[in-house]
Amino acid sequence: MQKELVDLFTQKAQAVSAIVKPVGSLKEAYAYAADICLNKDACQLLMSGCGEAVSDAAADLCAAKSADRIIAAPQFEGKRLKELKAACDKAGITLLTEGMRGQLAGIDVGFAVADLGLAETGTLVVDSSSAEVRLSTMISEINVVVLPLSKLRKGSYDAEDELSAIIRQAPSYMAFITGASRTADIERVLAIGVHGPLELHILLWEDS
Amino acid sequence: MQTATKIEEYLKELEDSLGNDFQRKILDTFAVAYRTGRANAFAGMDVKGLIDEIAEAKDYSLARMDALYEEFKQKAEAMGVKVHMAKTAFEANEIIARIARENGCTKAIKSKSMTAEETHLNHHLEEQGMEVTESDLGEWIIQLRHEGPSHMVMPAIHLSRHQVADLFSDVTKQKQDSDIQKLVKVARRELRRKYVEADMGISGGNFAIAETGTIGLVTNEGNARLATTLPRVHVALVGLEKLTPTLHDALRVLKALPRNATGQQITSYVTWITGPNECKSAPDNTKIMHVVFLDNGRRALAKDHDFSQVLRCIRCGACANVCPVYRLVGGHKYGHVYIGAIGLIMTYFFHGRDKAKFLVQNCVNCGACKEVCAAGIDLPRLIKEIHARIQDEEGHPIQSKLLGLVLKNRALFHALLKNMRWAQKPFAEREGQFIRHLPTVFMKGQDFRKLPTLAPKAFREMWDQIRPKVENASLKVALFSGCVQDFVYPEHMVDAVKVIARRGGVALDYPMKQSCCGLPVVMMGEKEAAKEVARQNITAMDPADYDYIITLCASCASHLKHGYPKLLEDDKALAAKVGQFADKVIDFSSFVHDVLGLDASAFNRSGEKVGYHAPCHLCRGLEVREAPRANIDLAGEYVATDEEEVCCGFGGSYSMKFPAVSRTLLAKKIANLEAGGVSSVVTDCPGCVMQIKGGMATQGKPIKVRHIAELMAERLK
């Protein structure tokens, strides 16, 4: 049953161009995020418009990027934060847990843990009540999200009680995320990364 | 936007749109791709069941609109949200302008909202000195071009990459390449700056969940997330019909909305905002949040027993996606602000009769929209109802009034038709099959297909001679000919009688007092005449006397079966008979295939490659799809061709009123048949025969056009 759900989730998420990988532990997930951040094309910011003929005012945003390599993981604290920090330090990556508003030109990698997964649509549910989480999952060029498999449900109806519990913690800001930011507004041609992440990586964590 | 003040202006605009090759091509590609995309997205799901559930749940919410509003307001205000009720579009705009003033906001960033388009919010705020920027890519493009949306989900679908590149060159003062991926990145950078600068975020709302005070937003780009996160103030403008009791209701709609809109299983982002969230740019680190509910006629509409279903609309845009007319003329000519079939109706209720009066006439009544509507709205019928209402309000045009008067009097109508046989003589071609030409007053733009002459002898005049003698009949069947097969193509009827008689045991009757089914007057907005004709037919053919009432005309069949019960729903005295009558109506193909069960043993099958044109009112109106194709294959070789179920452009009086659209639909139909390599085509409707046969004759094409009864009779053993 669990395998069927994982397969369904994987198939649906991949169908919207998400990259889906299993990880054995959170540590492995940290190493993956650091690796992605490090090996990401040095000029990938180009993809988000730096190299394009933008107006002078829009070009000024480039100067706002503060460090070479950034991972933002605002949900993290305590032991998990320490471990993630260690992985970042080792790779020479700056780790941020707050201050996303100072990074609106874009950060390399946003790193988060999902609250639920919905297999039928390949959807991640991320409680984004923290403004930092909302931003890190939007302004990152690569969004890396860990989905603990104990939180994988078949569809939205099956997860309804849990979804309801999230929105009842008022105030709350709950996000369903399925694939990367996309548009087909010009000639119906699919273009990824119009406002948010250019890539979504989902790390399936066998947590139980 | 629909601004024509005369029908001639509107017709001219339509001609112009038909000449827009880019738009034609992109909408064509989309229409074809959409069908597969939608089918894949719903694969394995009970779509009809889902649509029924959505309709039922929406109706339940609409009946409780005021109570849901109170519940939402109480929940949301307890969390610190300010909830407003705007009676009119102006009031909504004013409330939002006031919120901006009170909070010192000067720059707004918006995520897509059809409701804000309805109220022309941007215009209002800009007049007050605010800078408003749309953040949805398509909306931003049309905002920069000072246009309205041409589709509810893809607002800039009418524009090419080159037009966007030119536009962005102006905006950025840099020369832009027409590479779409690059243009999207340019928009990303330009708009990112706008989020940073904005002090007010404005969104719409796909759902307003009363039990939790939650606003749900469905987007692909993620722009709604940024617009509701970065600025210190968030205003959601939401139509009252989006109020729904529970999260479950919203999740249910979410199962249909993206699938029906774009063939996606779900959009990239769905955002659920409950109360004023953390916001670091706001005082107290808490968002200032307002929800403005828009009435603008919704509360009254919700109480209308028939039209309240309009408010079920979930704004997926599917009715435009499948509309053959939208596909040709584009959204700017097929709606005012709201687009597509639902747009024609909403224009009347939200933007008025003047904007709606030509639009509602431009429906070919093919039923494609009704079939895909995620909320089960009876769109084509409501469009006709509004057409009739507008005529009641503004006066009926002389032609439709006259036709109504004539149709109400069967004897007069038939006498006129018989007289026309003589009157048409000077205008007929030598072989007598087609009218050669008519005085130009009748023929303006009509020369794209030849029109048939009236037959020398009507079917009703032949009946006594051809009526089969049947002993020990096991089935009693009444024939309903409709006007076209009575007076123009009686040969269809004669052949149908031969095919039915082949099995034996079927007693056929042709009740002489039957008249036109009345659909033509429905199409022309003459509802009272339509009711009168319906009563006459039900009286002329007592359903208790027959096992079946057969018609060879798909349009008649669908009107008799589904139109009559709706038309006469208030006629208590006739109610039982209307129901019985409708139950017994069956189309020729289904009768032959399902009831008579005629099989290969009855036919000399030929090797002729025969294509099929599925009449709108058969495939969608009666959901008959298998029987005609199986019947064709008994007599010849059925060859599938592209877009069999797309309208041929006839639509009764539609083809007379909108000849340019009709001509183009017909040209596509003929091109698809030609491409399919068939030597003949059959269909189940004399209207479609008239249109396609006339088109083939005008274009000199060798493809033979027949009613399916003719093909079957020809190959009968």
Side-chain angles (χ1 to χ4, degrees):
Chain A
M1 186 59 201
Q2 179 71 1
K3 182 175 181 310
E4 276 171 30
L5 274 193
V6 172
D7 288 348
L8 181 63
F9 180 90
T10 306
Q11 179 215 330
K12 295 292 181 181
Q14 284 173 342
V16 286
S17 313
I19 293 163
V20 186
K21 299 255 190 243
V23 289
S25 66
L26 275 179
K27 273 195 176 162
E28 202 180 311
Y30 304 149
Y32 181 92
D35 198 41
I36 285 285
C37 186
L38 213 54
N39 293 316
K40 166 175 176 275
D41 182 349
C43 293
Q44 191 150 19
L45 262 178
L46 287 178
M47 282 178 65
S48 63
C50 269
E52 305 305 337
V54 294
S55 67
D56 293 345
D60 289 346
L61 270 180
C62 286
K65 193 164 187 282
S66 61
D68 275 354
R69 299 281 174 179
I70 302 174
I71 290 181
Q75 287 168 327
F76 282 69
E77 53 189 23
K79 179 167 169 268
R80 284 184 177 184
L81 177 61
K82 237 168 102 182
E83 288 172 357
L84 175 58
K85 179 90 170 57
C88 290
D89 285 350
K90 200 172 135 199
I93 294 166
T94 307
L95 176 68
L96 300 177
T97 54
E98 57 181 11
M100 294 308 128
R101 275 178 186 270
Q103 307 291 334
L104 294 176
I107 52 175
D108 299 293
V109 172
F111 190 72
V113 179
D115 295 273
L116 288 165
L118 308 176
E120 275 175 0
T121 48
T123 298
L124 299 165
V125 181
V126 180
D127 181 343
S128 308
S129 302
S130 144
E132 299 287 8
V133 172
R134 243 175 287 156
L135 287 175
S136 72
T137 52
M138 273 311 284
I139 62 172
S140 54
E141 296 186 349
I142 300 180
N143 197 13
V144 180
V145 182
V146 177
L147 172 61
L149 288 178
S150 62
K151 299 292 179 68
L152 180 59
R153 307 288 174 263
K154 184 155 183 282
S156 58
Y157 285 177
D158 307 283
E160 198 171 323
D161 290 345
E162 290 156 297
L163 295 171
S164 186
I166 297 175
I167 65 171
R168 280 168 200 276
Q169 290 168 353
S172 77
Y173 196 111
M174 177 172 75
F176 287 9
I177 301 174
T178 313
S181 164
R182 59 178 54 214
T183 186
D185 274 351
I186 306 176
E187 294 191 15
R188 292 183 54 249
V189 173
L190 179 65
I192 300 289
V194 54
H195 288 293
L198 307 158
E199 291 177 21
L200 174 67
H201 295 231
I202 303 170
L203 305 178
L204 301 176
W205 172 35
E206 189 77 66
D207 59 327
S208 50
Chain B
M1 291 252 169
Q2 196 24 239
T3 50
T5 54
K6 292 190 186 121
I7 186 82
E8 293 76 17
E9 280 171 38
Y10 182 54
L11 290 171
K12 174 72 177 61
E13 288 176 10
L14 293 178
E15 286 269 12
D16 291 347
S17 291
L18 287 169
N20 180 342
D21 291 339
F22 170 78
Q23 176 171 276
R24 288 276 301 278
K25 190 161 171 276
I26 193 142
L27 293 181
D28 253 352
T29 317
F30 174 51
V32 174
Y34 170 75
R35 270 181 230 135
T36 320
R38 180 181 187 268
N40 290 343
F42 277 117
M45 289 173 72
D46 171 14
V47 189
K48 282 198 169 176
L50 178 61
I51 291 173
D52 289 347
E53 276 184 33
I54 290 173
E56 194 186 331
K58 282 277 180 185
D59 286 348
Y60 180 88
S61 300
L62 292 171
R64 286 158 189 77
M65 191 180 265
D66 290 348
L68 290 173
Y69 170 75
E70 287 305 328
E71 186 183 354
F72 185 97
K73 185 178 166 77
Q74 187 251 320
K75 285 279 176 202
E77 296 202 329
M79 295 181 286
V81 178
K82 185 86 188 73
V83 178
H84 311 257
M85 169 79 89
K87 287 199 192 65
T88 63
F90 176 79
E91 219 174 283
N93 295 345
E94 263 303 297
I95 289 169
I96 297 170
R98 197 178 65 228
I99 295 168
R101 279 196 301 275
E102 285 171 2
N103 291 284
C105 300
T106 57
K107 291 184 177 181
I109 186 95
K110 256 181 91 226
S111 66
K112 189 169 154 38
S113 160
M114 281 308 297
T115 313
E117 294 282 352
E118 175 187 330
T119 67
H120 302 298
L121 174 64
N122 292 3
H123 187 67
H124 189 94
L125 295 179
E126 282 163 2
E127 275 190 344
Q128 314 256 330
M130 279 190 85
E131 182 190 309
V132 185
T133 307
E134 293 286 352
S135 59
D136 173 85
L137 177 59
E139 287 283 334
W140 189 51
I141 291 169
I142 60 165
Q143 182 192 25
L144 292 170
R145 286 176 57 96
H146 308 287
E147 287 180 325
S150 73
H151 188 283
M152 292 215 276
V153 177
M154 294 165 291
I157 192 170
H158 58 292
L159 297 172
S160 73
R161 64 189 77 189
H162 308 290
Q163 286 168 298
V164 176
D166 288 348
L167 180 72
F168 283 9
S169 298
D170 283 350
V171 170
T172 58
K173 310 274 182 270
Q174 309 267 355
K175 179 81 188 111
Q176 297 294 342
D177 198 313
S178 61
D179 178 330
I180 291 175
Q181 304 299 333
K182 287 187 176 181
L183 290 169
V184 168
K185 296 300 180 296
V186 169
R188 175 185 171 104
R189 285 305 296 261
E190 296 292 336
L191 288 169
R192 185 65 64 88
R193 176 168 67 91
K194 297 289 184 182
Y195 291 112
V196 178
E197 293 168 358
D199 37 30
M200 178 186 260
I202 301 173
S203 74
N206 294 88
F207 317 110
I209 303 171
E211 64 169 359
T212 51
T214 303
I215 295 290
L217 296 166
V218 179
T219 79
N220 270 318
E221 299 182 3
N223 55 321
R225 293 193 65 190
L226 287 172
T228 58
T229 296
L230 287 170
R232 59 193 156 86
V233 179
H234 171 208
V235 181
L237 174 61
V238 187
L240 276 171
E241 78 280 18
K242 299 292 168 57
L243 278 160
T244 205
T246 64
L247 172 66
H248 188 76
D249 298 305
L251 294 175
R252 183 192 298 115
V253 170
L254 193 57
K255 284 182 187 293
L257 174 55
R259 291 184 167 93
N260 222 37
T262 53
Q264 287 175 275
Q265 315 249 338
I266 193 168
T267 51
S268 301
Y269 299 98
V270 184
T271 300
W272 310 85
I273 304 172
T274 312
N277 278 273
E278 181 189 17
C279 176
K280 294 203 168 148
S281 60
D284 308 331
N285 195 19
T286 304
K287 180 82 79 182
I288 298 162
M289 185 175 173
H290 293 257
V291 179
V292 181
F293 281 101
L294 179 67
D295 177 352
N296 201 24
R298 286 166 170 80
R299 290 179 64 228
L301 190 52
K303 293 186 177 77
D304 186 299
H305 88 282
D306 201 14
F307 280 102
S308 62
Q309 57 179 300
V310 171
L311 295 174
R312 291 180 195 159
C313 174
I314 62 167
R315 308 285 190 273
C316 65
C319 57
N321 298 354
V322 297
C323 173
V325 183
Y326 170 85
R327 177 174 167 183
L328 292 182
V329 304
H332 287 155
K333 301 295 165 247
Y334 213 60
H336 182 64
V337 168
Y338 292 106
I339 306 297
I342 193 72
L344 306 191
I345 301 170
M346 285 187 178
T347 300
Y348 174 73
F349 286 110
F350 298 143
H351 296 108
R353 188 167 69 217
D354 275 353
K355 308 279 192 296
K357 62 185 174 189
F358 306 133
L359 293 174
V360 292
Q361 297 179 45
N362 195 5
C363 164
V364 70
N365 199 27
C366 74
C369 50
K370 180 181 173 179
E371 191 184 47
V372 295
C373 178
I377 306 171
D378 193 353
L379 294 155
R381 186 178 61 77
L382 295 182
I383 292 169
K384 299 297 159 213
E385 291 275 352
I386 290 175
H387 183 193
R389 272 195 191 196
I390 291 178
Q391 292 196 171
D392 288 345
E393 289 163 1
E394 294 204 330
H396 291 233
I398 191 78
Q399 302 96 317
S400 75
K401 200 148 97 182
L402 264 179
L403 182 66
L405 281 173
V406 169
L407 274 197
K408 280 200 253 183
N409 184 337
R410 187 195 61 82
L412 170 67
F413 174 50
H414 287 163
L416 280 175
L417 282 174
K418 285 171 193 167
N419 282 326
M420 275 172 63
R421 264 185 226 146
W422 307 106
Q424 75 187 2
K425 286 237 157 164
F427 307 111
E429 286 182 347
R430 196 172 306 156
E431 313 83 64
Q433 206 188 355
F434 294 109
I435 290 175
R436 182 163 37 99
H437 67 86
L438 275 174
T440 44
V441 57
F442 296 118
M443 282 304 277
K444 193 162 184 287
Q446 299 294 330
D447 52 356
F448 64 92
R449 43 95 165 94
K450 295 192 175 192
L451 291 168
T453 53
L454 292 173
K457 212 172 183 187
F459 181 70
R460 59 179 58 238
E461 295 165 299
M462 304 175 186
W463 177 241
D464 267 350
Q465 285 86 57
I466 67 152
R467 176 182 201 146
K469 304 275 173 286
V470 178
E471 282 166 24
N472 304 324
S474 56
L475 275 176
K476 263 190 89 180
V477 168
L479 292 170
F480 182 87
S481 65
C483 323
V484 180
Q485 281 163 327
D486 193 356
F487 288 90
V488 180
Y489 297 131
E491 62 270 28
H492 297 175
M493 295 298 293
V494 172
D495 282 344
V497 169
K498 283 184 201 156
V499 175
I500 294 169
R502 174 67 177 72
R503 200 204 69 164
V506 183
L508 285 167
D509 189 13
Y510 183 79
M512 284 294 164
K513 285 195 173 161
Q514 62 179 280
S515 186
C516 169
C517 70
L519 185 60
V521 271
V522 173
M523 286 294 287
M524 294 181 86
E526 297 291 331
K527 196 175 171 187
E528 285 312 311
K531 283 186 184 177
E532 180 52 35
V533 175
R535 283 191 201 99
Q536 288 175 17
N537 278 323
I538 290 170
T539 314
M541 316 176 78
D542 186 342
D545 288 345
Y546 307 105
D547 296 301
Y548 293 97
I549 298 167
I550 298 181
T551 169
L552 279 64
C553 171
S555 298
C556 295
S558 138
H559 187 54
L560 299 179
K561 205 169 183 70
H562 301 309
Y564 278 17
K566 198 70 208 166
L567 212 47
L568 297 176
E569 65 184 348
D570 297 327
D571 193 331
K572 300 277 178 288
L574 263 184
K577 285 286 178 195
V578 177
Q580 291 173 333
F581 183 92
D583 284 348
K584 290 188 173 171
V585 171
I586 189 169
D587 63 286
F588 171 78
S589 271
S590 299
F591 182 74
V592 168
H593 184 260
D594 305 343
V595 181
L596 296 186
L598 283 189
D599 58 22
S601 64
F603 297 90
N604 286 311
R605 190 174 186 271
S606 78
E608 185 185 8
K609 289 190 186 320
V610 185
Y612 179 57
H613 163 66
C616 301
H617 296 155
L618 194 70
C619 64
R620 286 177 292 273
L622 298 181
E623 296 182 76
V624 172
R625 292 186 157 97
E626 302 296 317
R629 292 171 172 92
N631 286 342
I632 293 173
D633 227 35
L634 292 174
E637 185 195 338
Y638 162 62
V639 176
T641 54
D642 284 345
E643 307 213 62
E644 284 178 351
E645 293 194 353
V646 174
C647 182
C648 66
F650 180 63
S653 56
Y654 181 88
S655 60
M656 296 288 179
K657 208 180 267 176
F658 295 98
V661 177
S662 178
R663 176 190 74 213
T664 316
L665 286 172
L666 177 59
K668 278 167 170 277
K669 178 57 67 180
I670 290 177
N672 279 327
L673 288 166
E674 270 197 303
V678 296
S679 57
S680 81
V681 58
V682 300
T683 184
D684 289 88
C685 186
C688 306
V689 170
M690 193 188 291
Q691 173 89 343
I692 302 171
K693 196 171 184 173
M696 294 284 186
T698 300
Q699 294 187 24
K701 302 288 183 195
I703 300 174
K704 200 155 122 194
V705 184
R706 283 172 295 177
H707 191 280
I708 194 164
E710 296 180 279
L711 170 73
M712 295 184 87
E714 183 189 291
R715 306 308 306 176
L716 212 53
K717 268 186 192 160

